[in-house]
Amino acid sequence: MSFVEYGDTIKDGDTAIVFLGHESMFPVKVQHGTVTQTKYGVIRHSTDLIGKKYGSKVTCSKGGWVFILHPTPELWTMNLPHRTQILYSTDISIITMMLELKPGSIVCESGTGSGSLSHALIRTVAPTGHLYTVEFHQQRAEKAREEFREHGVEHLVTVTNQDVCKNGFGVSNVADAVFLDIPSPWEAIGHAKSALKAEGGRICSFSPCIEQVQRTCLAMEEYGFTEINTLEILLRVYNVRTISLQIPDLGKAAEDNSSTGFDSSNPSHHGSPCANLQQGTVQFKSGVPLREVVGHTGYLTFATKS
Amino acid sequence: RKIIFEKQWFYLDNAIGHIYGTTFEVTSGGNLQPKQEVEETTTETKEAGTDNRNIVDDGKSQKLTHDDIKALKDKGIKGQEIVQQLIENSTTFRDKTEFAQDKYIKKKKKKYEAVITIVKPSTRILSTMYYAREPGKINHLRYDTLAQMLTLGNIHAGNKMIVMETCSGLVLGAVMERMGGYGSIIQMYPGGGPVRAATSCFGFPKPFFDNLHEFPLSKVQSLLSGTFTTETLPADPEDNALVEEESNGLTEEKQTSLQETEEEPTAEAALESNPTEEQDAMDISAEDAEFKENKEKENKENVREKHIKQWERRKKLLEAAALLREKNADGLIVASKFHPTPLLLSLLEFVAPSRPFVVYCQYKEPLLECYTKLRERGGVINLKLSETWLRNYQVLPDRSHPKLTMSGGGGYLLSGITVILDKGKSDSSNSEALKMEEPSSKRCRLQDLPC
């Protein structure tokens, strides 16, 4: 296993994702002799995990079972231990594309935070690219280093423990792209510019507040960045449901109802919840929004150095 | 070569040798001239009003007439100067607020100062461009949706991907960019061959195409059932005859013909490069005689060449079939004009367990059905139907606000992860148990809703 390379079977030392069903999952570090408790019972790593194929169904002691998944940056993002606020895959996707990242890209990032974005960046630039990530919080920097080692990607990333606003990224004229997720990105724009290659590159800054965006945009303009563009991306997830709507009784004859072409092709799914009423129902599939309110994560400001 | 862009025509010759991101001005002759950084002429005394209470729209604020402007343009005067003239001849300009003046200048500049910037192709540029210019050709796949697909599909170097798209090859190109030439891609195509118009815009180096395979969608069923053979390969009867003929022929003959084609181009190249040298010309004329003798052979060679092409195509197809037969692909990406359900139910067979798949559809309803059918089939978990909204912002001092909302129109995605499918009916009761266990609580709740 590695976060940048698929493997077939689960090995000692791997990080695997235990999938319990319906968005409920957690990561485990696979180790001989270790056991993991789930609500379906115990998983014994030596017998239940090691040597099995990723994607296998594993039966736990209580007879319940779980699926064991190969780790990906996306699954990691959903399961990682939070040390800070993290970026989720929706934002990460657009960041990756707008920064034009691909195998071989050199990227600078600050701050490392919980490493959610870092894993995705490393995945995309591997095997020939590199990530230089700067985190001013010493413990977080240490923890990130440890995780990268565990996940088999340490050769693709350099973690530096310093203040990016004061000391920059520790590299100059090497990066194809720079990503900033810090409280005062405008103070790091100059360092970002010098970290980028002489022939140019892309920059992105993530900020929750519009005031931060304004200051950042001004700084970018001042440093000669072009193509400055701010956007926001929102994810809407839909639950797929079979909905039945009751037909109102308007005093019409029953035959009229059946002739209007209601879809009763799926009656086997479950009986009408309103069976006590004589009236029919209409069933249909619908994508129902999960949440009523779409949250705000942050504004993404992109620009080009050329 | 003459190129027309935004009602301007020009030649690209002058752009060669400049770095990407260079901005050019279009001159009257259609030539490009690198544009220097212009110092904004803000030295003139700035006069501006505070509001528009006295500005009346009488249509007479601009003193220059249409003909005047046309005359200026015909004289070949720089756009910058035309804009300046327009400002000077606008009676209301000085009464406008500073922000309105700014806006006015920007609008006029856009119209009269023809500048173009030449940039390097990338998924970002091409997907944005296609969505703006040719959304129909990419099934209205918005660029942020494409970005989601690449991430949800965990596209990275070393993957063995299956891609089924009818997006002019844009999705294929995006996947190729993210894989950087490492790993392999099998493109499933409908009809006579894969469309790669957008793919070619990326300007990928040749090695990127070494591990790009294609396989006709119409042969998927036979591949799955095990009845797939190359004999049944060509779609049209004409090709069929050729293949039969070829398969009757000796392998030796194929090899010699292959060698011949390899030699032929080099001979031709020599012909073209040395026509001025007399000695060579003599040789050529001698060769020419031989060539005439071989004229009748040429016809045969043409047929042979066809055979070789056929043979190579078949070889590539066999390779693709072999790759698919391993059933260990690292992911599946579908973005087509076809109904996604049958595509997914068949193509997922080729994907290894614990791998992501993503289906794009312009409409939500087919994905609802697809979701249900995949649940019935099993072998997939973490199914998610989603959509993204994209909002662009104008950020200017004291004038920051959202530009436009793009809701809908960007399409929908259904994604999930494959798992090992239960074999035999013995486990089916178990899987049913899961089905009941998992969504039953949701169902109950929903069932209650209509009451």
Side-chain angles (χ1 to χ4, degrees), chain B residues 83 87 93 101-109:
Chain B
V83 173
I87 292 168
F93 187 79
Q101 286 180 354
D102 216 28
K103 204 168 160 186
Y104 182 87
I105 294 170
K106 264 191 191 160
K107 246 169 124 179
K108 296 299 169 198
K109 271 191 172 176

Side-chain angles (χ1 to χ4, degrees), chain A residues 1-6 14-17 70-77 119-120 122-124 126 147-148 150-153 156, chain B residues 154 156:
Chain A
M1 170 291 323
S2 152
F3 271 67
V4 293
E5 209 176 356
Y6 280 120
D14 279 7
T15 298
I17 308 290
H70 196 288
T72 65
E74 286 61 53
L75 288 173
W76 182 247
T77 290
H119 279 83
I122 292 167
R123 176 262 320 270
T124 304
E147 271 173 11
F148 294 139
E150 274 177 23
H151 295 164
V153 296
L156 296 163
Chain B
N154 191 24
H156 60 91

Side-chain angles (χ1 to χ4, degrees), chain B residues 17-297:
Chain B
H18 290 280
I19 60 164
Y20 282 112
T22 306
T23 302
F24 298 92
E25 266 179 301
V26 184
T27 60
S28 48
N31 284 315
L32 298 175
Q33 234 169 35
K35 192 186 161 121
Q36 261 73 49
E37 277 293 319
V38 207
E39 339 88 71
E40 294 291 318
T41 47
T42 47
T43 40
E44 64 171 304
T45 48
K46 275 227 164 176
E47 248 183 88
T50 48
D51 55 40
N52 58 8
R53 73 180 79 185
N54 295 319
I55 296 179
V56 187
D57 184 9
D58 55 4
K60 288 182 226 155
S61 56
Q62 182 54 252
K63 295 232 178 76
L64 291 178
T65 62
H66 267 291
D67 296 330
D68 292 339
I69 296 169
K70 199 170 174 292
L72 285 174
K73 269 179 161 174
D74 290 343
K75 267 191 253 170
I77 283 173
K78 276 200 169 183
Q80 213 179 319
E81 282 156 26
I82 299 179
V83 173
Q84 198 56 43
Q85 294 254 13
L86 285 171
I87 292 168
E88 277 162 21
N89 288 291
S90 168
T91 51
T92 48
F93 187 79
R94 272 164 213 284
D95 298 329
K96 286 177 195 258
T97 63
E98 208 178 306
F99 297 150
Q101 286 180 354
D102 216 28
K103 204 168 160 186
Y104 182 87
I105 294 170
K106 264 191 191 160
K107 246 169 124 179
K108 296 299 169 198
K109 271 191 172 176
K110 212 172 165 186
K111 197 167 169 191
Y112 296 103
E113 287 183 32
V115 294
I116 53 163
T117 307
I118 297 182
V119 295
K120 201 173 182 167
S122 65
T123 303
R124 168 177 77 98
I125 302 281
L126 288 170
S127 59
T128 315
M129 194 200 82
Y130 262 91
Y131 187 72
R133 299 199 152 237
E134 306 266 20
K137 286 194 179 167
I138 55 166
N139 303 302
H140 294 260
L141 169 69
R142 207 204 292 136
Y143 45 98
D144 54 312
T145 313
L146 176 60
Q148 301 302 314
M149 293 179 76
L150 297 170
T151 301
L152 289 172
N154 191 24
I155 312 293
H156 60 91
N159 270 5
K160 171 175 168 181
M161 291 301 303
I162 300 175
V163 178
M164 164 56 208
E165 65 128 289
T166 59
C167 295
S168 307
L170 178 72
V171 175
L172 176 73
V175 172
M176 285 170 76
E177 185 184 272
R178 286 290 173 90
M179 287 175 56
Y182 302 92
S184 54
I185 304 170
I186 305 142
Q187 184 183 15
M188 315 300 286
Y189 63 87
V195 179
R196 289 175 186 165
T199 318
S200 62
C201 296
F202 282 83
F204 289 126
K206 224 172 157 258
F208 276 42
F209 292 91
D210 290 349
N211 287 311
L212 174 59
H213 305 270
E214 60 252 4
F215 190 83
L217 211 50
S218 56
K219 298 292 164 198
V220 165
Q221 208 43 56
S222 65
L223 188 66
L224 282 172
S225 62
T227 58
F228 173 79
T229 52
T230 51
E231 304 301 324
T232 58
L233 173 184
D236 42 335
E238 196 195 30
D239 283 0
N240 230 334
L242 280 168
V243 166
E244 259 172 43
E245 213 178 289
E246 199 191 352
S247 56
N248 290 338
L250 294 163
T251 46
E252 222 177 294
E253 201 182 33
K254 277 182 212 159
Q255 276 174 349
T256 52
S257 61
L258 244 181
Q259 278 170 1
E260 267 169 22
T261 45
E262 266 171 42
E263 281 163 26
E264 228 174 32
T266 53
E268 265 173 9
L271 267 174
E272 274 175 7
S273 58
N274 296 330
T276 48
E277 286 172 41
E278 271 177 47
Q279 273 195 330
D280 278 34
M282 293 280 281
D283 286 348
I284 287 161
S285 60
E287 266 176 48
D288 233 340
E290 267 190 294
F291 256 102
K292 268 171 198 162
E293 268 191 318
N294 293 350
K295 199 88 207 219
E296 39 193 76
K297 261 194 181 178

Side-chain angles (χ1 to χ4, degrees), chain A residues 68-141:
Chain A
I68 308 297
L69 300 179
H70 196 288
T72 65
E74 286 61 53
L75 288 173
W76 182 247
T77 290
M78 284 189 266
N79 295 292
L80 55 81
H82 282 221
R83 302 184 282 274
T84 56
Q85 270 277 8
I86 64 161
L87 281 168
Y88 289 94
S89 298
T90 314
D91 285 303
I92 290 173
S93 307
I94 197 92
I95 290 166
T96 312
M97 184 163 102
M98 290 302 191
L99 288 181
E100 302 183 343
L101 301 184
K102 55 193 176 200
S105 297
I106 310 288
V107 194
C108 290
E109 174 203 33
S110 186
T112 315
S114 306
S116 169
L117 176 70
S118 312
H119 279 83
L121 295 177
I122 292 167
R123 176 262 320 270
T124 304
V125 305
T128 47
H130 200 86
L131 171 69
Y132 294 93
T133 183
V134 176
E135 169 63 52
F136 71 164
H137 192 285
Q138 199 197 335
Q139 257 181 314
R140 283 184 212 147

Side-chain angles (χ1 to χ4, degrees), chain A residues 16-21 24-29 34-45 48-49 57-69, chain B residues 437:
Chain A
I17 308 290
V18 179
F19 184 88
L20 298 160
S24 157
M25 50 186 140
F26 59 86
V28 285
K29 209 179 146 197
T34 310
V35 294
T36 299
Q37 296 286 345
T38 74
K39 64 176 171 180
Y40 299 122
V42 173
I43 302 171
R44 278 170 230 287
H45 291 201
D48 295 339
L49 296 183
K57 187 191 263 185
V58 172
T59 309
C60 306
S61 61
K62 286 188 198 161
W65 35 260
V66 298
F67 284 107
I68 308 297
L69 300 179
Chain B
E437 194 183 322

